[in-house]
Amino acid sequence: SYKEAAEVWNLYHNRHFTQEQLNVLRMRGQPPETFNVIKMLARMLVGYFSTVTNTVVARPVNPRDTELAGLLNDTIKAVFDDNRFDMLGDQIKLSGLLTGVLACETNVRDSGERDQFNRPINEIDHSYVPTHELVFDPSAKESDYSDARFLHRHRWMSEDRVKKLLGDSAIEK
């Protein structure tokens, strides 16, 4: 859940104590020290997973699909290389280790360029989605959310951005 993910991220970033607990420690003259095993183990595992081969591979279903699978593999590699997926992937893996959720957003956008037949050349962008921006269907029963009806992503937007996207009347509502 969102609350569990927030708690795990707090532990990862050494935010182990509540303000009340910090006040008690301060009154006793004790430093709020912790030995962060979570961060140490998470970094070790992400480092390990970064050194082993783990990538997306398109495999042919039939012998006639071999050429298409090769093309898809080249495309996947080019997209990952263009988006620095080696670094982005580590961020996604860390989130998966800590919260159990691996999330990224993929968008296709116009590069502004055209090919020899005047067709638009598109680019594919990947970005990490922090778990605190995700809300899963609360009626889902399966631990992997395979029975979820929706996944909602929310992001905070400034008032200026809302006005730019939706107009001044959106703020008044």
Side-chain angles (χ1 to χ4, degrees):
S1 76
Y2 169 76
K3 289 180 182 179
E4 290 169 333
E7 183 177 350
V8 172
W9 278 113
N10 282 334
L11 293 172
Y12 178 81
H13 289 294
N14 283 331
R15 296 185 292 257
H16 293 77
F17 301 111
T18 65
Q19 190 58 48
E20 193 174 297
Q21 291 168 329
L22 288 170
N23 291 340
V24 170
L25 290 172
R26 193 174 299 110
M27 294 292 287
R28 292 180 185 165
Q30 292 177 284
E33 293 185 63
T34 59
F35 182 69
N36 197 336
V37 177
I38 294 171
K39 185 177 272 189
M40 180 184 67
L41 290 174
R43 285 183 172 174
M44 181 184 72
L45 287 172
V46 168
Y48 170 74
F49 287 129
S50 296
T51 62
V52 296
T53 303
N54 49 29
T55 187
V56 177
V57 177
R59 298 199 188 280
V61 177
N62 298 307
R64 67 177 183 266
D65 299 331
T66 304
E67 192 174 319
L68 178 60
L71 175 66
L72 289 172
N73 284 322
D74 291 345
T75 303
I76 292 166
K77 183 181 180 331
V79 168
F80 281 4
D81 290 348
D82 287 348
N83 287 280
R84 303 266 313 139
F85 205 75
D86 53 339
M87 301 299 289
L88 182 65
D90 286 351
Q91 195 173 21
I92 294 168
K93 289 172 200 165
L94 178 62
S95 177
L97 286 169
L98 295 177
T99 66
V101 177
L102 298 106
C104 73
E105 180 180 35
T106 303
N107 290 307
V108 178
R109 65 176 174 80
D110 187 354
S111 68
E113 298 176 20
R114 299 265 177 196
D115 69 5
Q116 64 192 24
F117 302 106
N118 202 31
R119 295 177 297 199
I121 298 175
N122 295 320
E123 292 181 350
I124 300 172
D125 291 331
H126 293 289
S127 60
Y128 164 69
V129 178
T131 51
H132 68 269
E133 292 182 0
L134 299 173
V135 178
F136 295 95
D137 180 0
S139 67
K141 302 290 183 220
E142 299 295 325
S143 60
D144 64 355
Y145 295 102
S146 59
D147 62 337
R149 294 171 299 153
F150 64 87
L151 164 67
H152 178 73
R153 181 179 183 190
H154 63 92
R155 297 179 86 181
W156 181 86
M157 288 181 14
S158 67
E159 189 174 316
D160 292 338
R161 181 147 169 89
V162 171
K163 285 180 182 178
K164 183 178 178 182
L165 289 172
L166 305 171
D168 290 337
S169 62
I171 297 297
E172 296 167 7
K173 296 177 183 177

